[in-house]
Amino acid sequence: MDDCLFCKIVRGEIPSRNVFEDDEIFAFHDINPARPVHLLVIPKRHITSLANVSESDAPVLGRILAVANQLASENGSPDGFRLIINTGRIGGQEVPHLHAHIVGGSVPVGPMLKRI
Ligand code: AMP
Ligand code: ZN
């Protein structure tokens, strides 16, 4: 996806503060952190949103969940975190490349549906 913001980040065309990369996924600091720890974990391959996944995406989605605790722990949220995947218009998704927010820090994240 030539014009996708997060595809450009994966390709290194837009700078980001990266924290993790493997063959399938990429993780970096959110540019506008809502909490002391705010990371984004994305599939390297363009997937628009959770509304656009198929069974063949299950492995990469599993990878995102599987690395979340390690990334949170290594980046300042060792006692838990919240993982959020905003989806589509109703979910408030602003960047149309699937991404999981990891938010945390040393104090509780707070109410469930507060906008992040
Ligand atoms: P969402 O509303 O779930 O689509 O979240 C998009 C997130 O991407 C927001 O938290 C933004 O702060 C973040 N964001 C936008 N542009 C960048 C960027 N260039 N680098 C890092 N994070 C970004
Ligand atoms: Zn993309």
Side-chain angles (χ1 to χ4, degrees), residues 1 4 6-7 46 97:
M1 289 286 282
C4 170
F6 287 174
C7 283
H46 183 87
H97 180 129

Side-chain angles (χ1 to χ4, degrees), residues 55-109:
E55 279 297 323
S56 63
D57 297 314
V60 72
L61 296 172
R63 286 290 300 143
I64 288 171
L65 296 183
V67 299
N69 188 60
Q70 177 195 335
L71 296 183
S73 293
E74 289 175 355
N75 290 280
S77 196
D79 297 324
F81 59 92
R82 183 169 299 159
L83 189 136
I84 300 164
I85 304 179
N86 296 323
T87 302
R89 180 177 68 86
I90 298 299
Q93 182 178 2
E94 290 173 358
V95 177
H97 180 129
L98 193 156
H99 51 281
H101 298 255
I102 294 173
V103 288
S106 55
V107 295
V109 171

Side-chain angles (χ1 to χ4, degrees), residues 1-8 10-11 42-48 95-98:
M1 289 286 282
D2 288 352
D3 289 336
C4 170
L5 175 65
F6 287 174
C7 283
K8 287 182 177 175
V10 170
R11 293 195 296 263
I42 68 175
K44 283 184 166 177
R45 181 169 50 82
H46 183 87
I47 302 172
T48 301
V95 177
H97 180 129
L98 193 156

